[in-house]
Amino acid sequence: MTDSRPLPHATRTLSARDGAAAREAAQVLRAGGLVAFPTETVYGLGADAGDARAVAGVYAAKGRPAFNPLISHVPDMAAAAALGDLSDAATQLAAAFWPGPLTLVLPCRDMEAVCDLARAGLDTVALRVPSHPVALAFLKEAGRPVVGPSANRSGHVSPTDAAHVAADLDGRIDVILDAGPSPVGVESTIVDCSGERPTLLRPGGIARADIERVLGHALPDAAAGDAERPNAPGRLASHYAPRAKVRLDAGAVAPGEALLTFGGVLPPGAEAAGTVLDLSPSGDLLEAAANLYGALRRLDDLGATAIAVVPLPREGLGEAIADRLGRAAAPRPLIPDGD
Ligand code: TXA
Ligand code: MG
């Protein structure tokens, strides 16, 4: 599907250290181009959410199945309120966590500013106000909602720096706006506020417990969608996948395995492992989240064929890390189903 797409002209990388870069990138986006942009979670592949042709280009560049709806990014609450109906709960969550790594699924108010293809035909819209200063500058200059799935080929690990984006999408997109590593490192938490009670569609950069504190009650998981129209396809099994086979909760390292560890833990067999990467030697889950995707890419680059992962704590960001590692370890589908 994707390889038949003619490659656009050479991808340009613009350094965000250059004060004019965000404006230049926004001009390319407004003209219908594809722009990878930094956020605090991961890099997004941006296009004008109201331009169906540009959005189709995002699906094509990623090789993403067309039934997967995309998140639209806006610079502030006012822009979000013009696009989605914010319930009281949604307003509370937006006030507490925007700008930041939270995405809200809301009834859509403007079916043109976020086109059908961007919503995959749903009458809801996923909205996020990121906190990364370069993302905010870029979105303000764009002056319209910007779709932004992670800027990787479908089924690959999400990019947490500009080099990861280039490795997957060089020659397929117009611009990479480079602002260095993404500080959070896992995608936003997605909360569905389109129904009667908020539900969790995807764990992410904001811990469930922090959301529950603001809501004043428990945040249940969303009921699983059907296979044709999953309510958050990001929850499908194999996703965020490195090439290597991943084995979770390893109490020992088998011969031939690389080791992905945390907090300096060295299980039996570690001394014979060819490669040992520690997500956070000090045992800090924030640092582990920020390092996760880079570590999986690095293990691929080093040629690891099997990775043993030590058990990690599940509290706070540990839920999102466990979710992504679970996908990395899931049996692989024949066609990529991830985003
Ligand atoms: O941190 C993030 O959220 C990153 C950065 C770039 O902002 N973006 C990201 O977007 O992860 P994406 O498109 O890779 O993931 C969007 C998820 C998908 O699982 C998609 O199915 C779900 O959000 N989604 C989007 N619109 C939806 C809707 N209307 N209803 C339910 N789920 C939706
Ligand atoms: Mg993604």
Side-chain angles (χ1 to χ4, degrees):
M1 148 170 87
T2 55
D3 295 321
S4 61
R5 181 176 189 250
L7 296 184
H9 51 78
T11 304
R12 284 187 301 148
T13 296
L14 302 177
S15 168
R17 280 194 298 271
D18 170 356
R23 173 171 304 170
E24 194 176 341
Q27 276 162 359
V28 172
L29 178 121
R30 291 164 69 100
L34 302 182
V35 176
F37 64 101
T39 83
E40 71 279 21
T41 57
V42 301
Y43 276 69
L45 177 51
D48 176 348
D51 179 342
R53 209 185 127 81
V55 175
V58 168
Y59 287 109
K62 286 179 62 72
R64 183 179 201 178
F67 55 70
N68 248 353
L70 306 176
I71 294 175
S72 289
H73 298 71
V74 289
D76 52 42
M77 178 80 163
L83 299 174
D85 269 326
L86 288 135
S87 62
D88 290 347
T91 304
Q92 281 179 315
L93 294 178
F97 299 114
W98 279 351
L102 174 72
T103 295
L104 298 175
V105 173
L106 305 170
C108 185
R109 292 173 67 105
D110 187 338
M111 305 283 190
E112 269 162 36
V114 182
C115 69
D116 248 19
L117 191 57
R119 286 176 285 102
L122 302 176
D123 55 11
T124 52
V125 62
L127 295 174
R128 172 158 119 77
V129 179
S131 63
H132 195 294
V134 175
L136 288 173
F138 169 64
L139 292 171
K140 279 185 191 133
E141 292 286 351
R144 58 196 65 191
V146 173
V147 293
S150 49
N152 52 277
R153 298 297 300 272
S154 189
H156 287 194
V157 173
S158 293
T160 51
D161 74 30
H164 300 162
V165 178
D168 269 24
L169 297 177
D170 190 34
R172 297 181 160 269
I173 64 176
D174 298 295
V175 166
I176 300 172
L177 183 54
D178 179 359
S182 302
V184 174
V186 291
E187 291 85 346
S188 60
T189 302
I190 306 180
V191 177
D192 185 353
C193 290
S194 67
E196 245 159 59
R197 281 171 72 83
T199 56
L200 181 68
L201 285 169
R202 176 176 78 182
I206 301 219
R208 188 198 300 254
D210 292 333
I211 293 172
E212 291 177 333
R213 212 166 292 128
V214 169
L215 290 174
H217 56 74
L219 177 69
D221 286 328
D226 60 50
E228 294 291 302
R229 175 56 63 81
N231 50 15
R235 292 172 62 87
L236 287 179
S238 175
H239 183 44
Y240 306 104
R243 284 190 295 278
K245 198 164 175 300
V246 177
R247 188 168 66 85
L248 301 179
D249 293 326
V253 185
E257 283 182 323
L259 174 65
L260 187 61
T261 190
F262 175 79
V265 170
L266 291 176
E271 61 294 340
T275 305
V276 178
L277 292 186
D278 195 330
L279 290 171
S280 170
S282 66
D284 175 358
L285 284 169
L286 289 176
E287 182 182 30
N291 287 334
L292 178 63
Y293 290 137
L296 292 174
R297 279 189 188 255
R298 182 148 165 70
L299 288 166
D300 267 349
D301 291 346
L302 291 170
T305 53
I307 305 169
V309 186
V310 300
L312 272 81
R314 297 291 176 117
E315 78 266 6
L317 279 193
E319 183 176 10
I321 295 171
D323 176 80
R324 305 307 190 268
L325 282 171
R327 290 168 207 287
R332 308 293 154 76
L334 292 175
I335 50 162
D337 64 5
D339 58 11

